[in-house]
Amino acid sequence: MEFHIEKIEAMIYTIRGQRVMMDSDLAKLYGVETKALNQAVKRNRERFPEDFLIEPNSSELASLRSQIVTLEGSSHENHFRHSPFLFTENGVAMLSSVLHSKEAIQVNITIMRAFTKLRSFLAMGSPLEKRVDKIQKETNQLFKIVFERLDHADNQMAAYEEAVTPKLPRIRKKIGLKN
C-alpha cells in the first residue's frame, strides 16, 4: 500500500509545540488495529519516553479535537473513547523497532519524509519573514522621505503663492500618513 506524503501531513497535529501523530492514524497507515499498536507500545514502554510519546490531558484533547475538526474530510469522531497516544517524530521512528513488518518499515520511511518536509518548510519561513520585515522597514523609510520632500515642496509653493497672489486657493492638499 502506497501513501502520499500530503495524506500523511494531514495526519500531523501540533500539541505542546511539537508535531505529533495519533495512534489511530498510525495504526491505519501500518495496517494494524489501534489496540494492537498500543499494546506493542505498552510492552516496550521504556522505548517511548515523554518526548517520544505524549498522553494528552483534557485541554490538549480539546486542542486536538479542534485541529481535527478544521481538517476537511477528517474521519475522526468528535470524541475519543480512550485518550489516544500521540507520537512525536522520534516516537514514530521508534515504532519501527516494535513493529517488524516490511510494510511498517516502508510506512515509517514515508512518515519520516513527511516530518522532514514540514521541518524544512517551517525553516524556510524564518529567513523569508526577515526579508519581508527588512523590505517593509526600507519602504517605510522611503515613504517618509518622499512625504517630507512633498511637504517641503508644498510649503515652498504655498509661500510663493502667498507672495505672488495672496487671494488664490492652495493647489494641493497636504498628503501623508495620519498619526
Side-chain angles (χ1 to χ4, degrees):
M1 183 183 274
E2 187 176 322
F3 294 99
H4 296 285
I5 289 179
E6 291 78 20
K7 181 177 179 179
I8 294 171
E9 286 174 351
M11 296 177 178
I12 298 174
Y13 308 102
T14 302
I15 297 290
R16 298 182 192 172
Q18 296 189 65
R19 289 180 299 279
V20 298
M21 293 187 74
M22 285 184 18
D23 54 3
S24 58
D25 288 336
L26 289 164
K28 285 178 194 169
L29 292 172
Y30 290 126
V32 299
E33 294 290 324
T34 304
K35 184 176 181 178
L37 183 135
N38 288 342
Q39 286 173 346
V41 170
K42 288 176 184 176
R43 281 192 306 269
N44 296 280
R45 194 66 170 110
E46 68 280 356
R47 292 178 184 250
F48 296 93
E50 289 180 15
D51 57 327
F52 283 34
L53 177 69
I54 296 173
E55 296 184 56
N57 60 36
S58 59
S59 66
E60 290 167 337
L61 282 174
S63 172
L64 184 61
R65 278 187 199 99
S66 70
Q67 290 180 58
I68 291 169
V69 168
T70 59
L71 294 174
E72 290 184 52
S74 177
S75 62
H76 296 286
E77 299 175 16
N78 282 338
H79 66 282
F80 303 107
R81 289 186 199 170
H82 305 285
S83 183
F85 282 153
L86 304 176
F87 295 87
T88 65
E89 182 176 356
N90 290 330
V92 173
M94 186 59 73
L95 275 175
S96 65
S97 70
V98 297
L99 301 173
H100 300 290
S101 72
K102 289 186 180 203
E103 183 181 40
I105 293 168
Q106 292 306 310
V107 169
N108 230 48
I109 289 169
T110 306
I111 293 170
M112 291 296 101
R113 287 182 177 147
F115 272 108
T116 302
K117 182 179 172 187
L118 283 175
R119 192 178 324 108
S120 64
F121 180 74
L122 292 173
M124 279 180 17
S126 181
L128 290 176
E129 286 177 32
K130 289 178 184 175
R131 287 179 58 196
V132 168
D133 287 344
K134 181 180 176 189
I135 290 169
Q136 185 177 14
K137 286 178 185 175
E138 290 172 354
T139 304
N140 288 345
Q141 289 173 347
L142 184 61
F143 275 115
K144 183 179 177 185
I145 292 169
V146 168
F147 287 133
E148 286 173 355
R149 290 187 181 169
L150 283 172
D151 287 343
H152 179 68
D154 189 41
N155 290 339
Q156 285 183 331
M157 180 67 110
Y160 174 77
E161 288 173 353
E162 267 185 47
V164 175
T165 52
K167 295 183 180 181
L168 289 177
R170 289 185 66 184
I171 296 172
R172 182 177 77 82
K173 290 184 178 182
K174 187 173 181 177
I175 62 171
L177 300 174
K178 293 182 178 181
N179 290 336

